[in-house]
Amino acid sequence: MCIIKSTGDFCVCPVQAVRRYLFLLMVLTSSAIVNAATDVDSLVATFQQVRIPRLKATVGPLPSPKTDALPTLQVLIDGLARNGGGRLIVKPGTYMLRGSLVMKSGVELHLEEGALLLFSGEADDFLPVVKTRWEGTDLMGRSAMIYANGAENIAITGSGTIDAQGHIEMARWGMTADTEDFKENAHGTHGETVEMPDVRRLRALGDVEGSERVFGKGTHLRPCAVEFYRCSRVLVEGITLRNSPFWCIHPVYCDNVTVRGVTIDSHSPNNDGCDPESSRNVLIENCLFRTGDDAVAIKAGRDADGRRVGVPSENIVIRHCRFYSECNGLCIGSEMSGGVRDVYMTDVEIGNVKNALLFKSNLDRGGYIRNVFVDNIRIASAKGAVLRFETNYFGYRGGNWPSQYEHFRISNVMAGSAEGYGVYYDGPGVPVTAADGAVTMSPTEKNTAYAICDIEVSDFHVKSATHSYYLFNTDNCRFLRSTVNGKPLPERPAESLTRQMCDVW
């Protein structure tokens, strides 16, 4: 384990003697880091845009909304792709789809206002299995309702609606048997669900390199509504998405992705709005997310499998959005074993959430979160914390891989109330293994490895909070011109001598 100590204003690791010099050089020269407020536009300007040929095809309305429209739409998409690409215009009407719609290179699916893609919601309609990633572990699993693999220059646009109808069958796999109407609870635990045996099997297989991970008929891992796998130059713009069985929009191993002007209204378990995973050059802007889980959660793989793959998420821009989540606002993690870096979030309104700005990992993940810039955020309330760094999120695989959080700049945050903490920084404690094998963290001792370092917060204001701040096992964390409960935060708050829990997930 790397032992990190503070020297001046930076975190320096003795076993990486050159790192400080390289870090200083990066800070002084990288346009992605020097000034997030002015350079984010320059960064976005480097993202590659989708290019769709002028060829067009039109469909609809079909004679009956009960007719399976999948064969018709798929034939038209495939035909456009064979001819170099083009735009498929879907006229107003209801289109029932009994299976996955597969996007192909060069094709734009344009839903006119009044067009509704209504998926069957029946689990076996989304077989055979495809390459995917489920909570950070690679596998062969059920297909998303709209899926693409290895495509480039693809788009889903328009003012129409996609209804995954996950509530019919698959969303229930994430609920306990006695749940009638799902509602996210403050503590984030939902008991033993139908899918948990398959989740545990996948977790175990993820520890084994080269394991065959096939989860097809008879298994219960929920697919996403829209998933792009190893795609390049992707656009999702204008559409409304409802009733996902799992995560709503999931770009994984992608580059140059834009999600713009999208409305998501989806409230089942784990209904994150958008989860860029091991992807780069991602822009999420002008979106409205009403979600049952995190509004945006940036991912990069989970535990051993995520570390083996080692593909980070980087160059992520989130701006001009409204997040009305039943869980967290902006989240990075907890699946971040491949690393997350260079994230910019600005001009975002967050509603009544569990945690507004949440960076989470545990001692199984490894990896890092670094170079994160947050500015101009308005928050109604948080049950847990307005600003939270969490290194002790649920973990089950031994606790030998602490994550590193470093170089955050957070500014101009205005929040109403926090039932828990205005600020909560929970660095790792000392692992203690009980007789039954359960791993907990000692509440009285501190780990010598500073996992949370070089965090600067300025112009951060919370009108009311039960606890103003808590810092445990951090280094070089500063607050400038910041207040909680109308009182200034110390520039360098004293560290807590004991661990405090914030049991709001």
Side-chain angles (χ1 to χ4, degrees), residues 7 55 60 65 92 263 287 350:
T7 62
L55 187 64
T263 297
C287 292
I350 298 175

Side-chain angles (χ1 to χ4, degrees), residues 346-360:
T346 183
D347 186 26
V348 174
E349 177 181 308
I350 298 175
N352 301 304
V353 293
K354 292 184 179 181
N355 303 280
L357 304 170
L358 173 61
F359 311 102
K360 62 178 177 178

Side-chain angles (χ1 to χ4, degrees), residues 382-400:
K383 288 184 178 294
V386 172
L387 173 59
R388 182 171 182 175
F389 289 83
E390 179 60 69
T391 62
N392 295 298
Y393 190 69
F394 307 112
Y396 311 97
R397 319 215 70 78
N400 298 313

